[in-house]
Amino acid sequence: MFEKSYIIAHRGIHDNQTIYENTLEAFKLAIKQKLIIELDVRLTKDNQIIVFHDENTKRLTKQNNLVEESTYQELNNQNKFHIPLLSEVLDLVKGKVPLLIEIKPTNKHIEAILMKILSQYQGEYAVQSFNPKVLYYLKRNYPNVLRGQLSHKYTNKKISSTKKFILSNMLFNFITKPNFISYKYNELSPTQIEKYKKKNIRVIGWTITNEREFNHYKQYYDNLICEKNTIQQRYSPWKLTNNYPVTWQTNECMLQLISRKRGR
């Protein structure tokens, strides 16, 4: 359990030139600076959970392979960098720092496979997703695992106005009961942030890209997900000014903490 909070490194520490995002190298740097690691997981065609952000490999490898339609070996048939399995990342981290794991959108049932792997992991972690169905699955099947609702102000024209309103305002929260929310840092007002805190819901802002943003928004959020250029100046421990820290836990101590804060 945490006594204090540390900056969250967005996909590790990387520049996507010499060190790529969501790689073992990026995570090694984050571990060295004792940062919480934020990472993304997806499921391959052969049901391997990999640590990778995009739905295809084009942005980073110049090869346009869809993750869900490719085997793990096919995805690593490129000489840019090694795409790690989640199991490789867990073996690297080994509880040295906490993990903030985002489940990316998928047509497959990734949650069960992911939790089977994480059930063997002894380190601290939390799971977050934009999809309320993921949180509902965790609430029903793994209530001891900290779960977070990701969101922002939806503007996608392909989404109906009703769905935009529901997702932007996280109206499923009363069902999924997230322990924390992660929202785009400049899209919640201080009043809105405080409203969630009064409900004992931690609030994380994503993604901070410079020192000016960090200095402004740290007074409102419980923690901030940051890019490399901010981390370079702010990698030392950042103590929260609130009465409570962000906590990530997977055991009975976490459950007792959550229960106590909710007045149960």
Side-chain angles (χ1 to χ4, degrees), residues 103-218:
I103 298 180
K104 303 303 291 184
T106 177
N107 294 322
K108 297 184 176 182
H109 298 289
I110 187 175
E111 299 92 342
I113 300 174
L114 172 66
M115 294 314 302
K116 184 177 181 180
I117 295 172
L118 289 176
S119 65
Q120 305 300 315
Y121 183 62
Q122 298 301 310
E124 296 170 312
Y125 67 89
V127 179
Q128 62 178 357
S129 178
F130 282 97
N131 188 349
K133 292 180 180 179
V134 170
L135 273 69
Y136 186 62
Y137 174 89
L138 293 174
K139 177 176 175 284
R140 292 195 63 182
N141 298 283
Y142 297 90
N144 288 8
V145 172
L146 286 185
R147 57 190 180 274
Q149 181 65 58
L150 273 159
S151 192
H152 62 102
K153 300 298 183 185
Y154 284 79
T155 59
N156 191 333
K157 294 181 180 179
K158 296 180 180 180
I159 301 177
S160 69
S161 57
T162 300
K163 189 172 183 178
K164 288 178 189 176
F165 181 81
I166 291 172
L167 293 175
S168 297
N169 292 281
M170 300 175 288
L171 297 186
F172 284 107
N173 282 3
F174 80 99
I175 297 174
T176 60
K177 302 291 185 184
N179 305 113
F180 66 97
I181 64 172
S182 294
Y183 215 92
K184 189 171 182 180
Y185 72 94
N186 59 354
E187 292 186 348
L188 282 181
S189 69
T191 300
Q192 289 173 309
I193 295 171
E194 190 61 30
K195 180 187 71 173
Y196 289 113
K197 289 183 179 181
K198 287 180 179 179
K199 296 179 180 179
N200 287 323
I201 299 175
R202 308 293 180 264
V203 189
I204 297 171
W206 59 268
T207 300
I208 297 293
T209 59
N210 60 62
E211 183 78 356
R212 180 184 58 81
E213 292 173 347
F214 180 90
N215 287 330
H216 177 71
Y217 288 100
K218 71 178 182 179

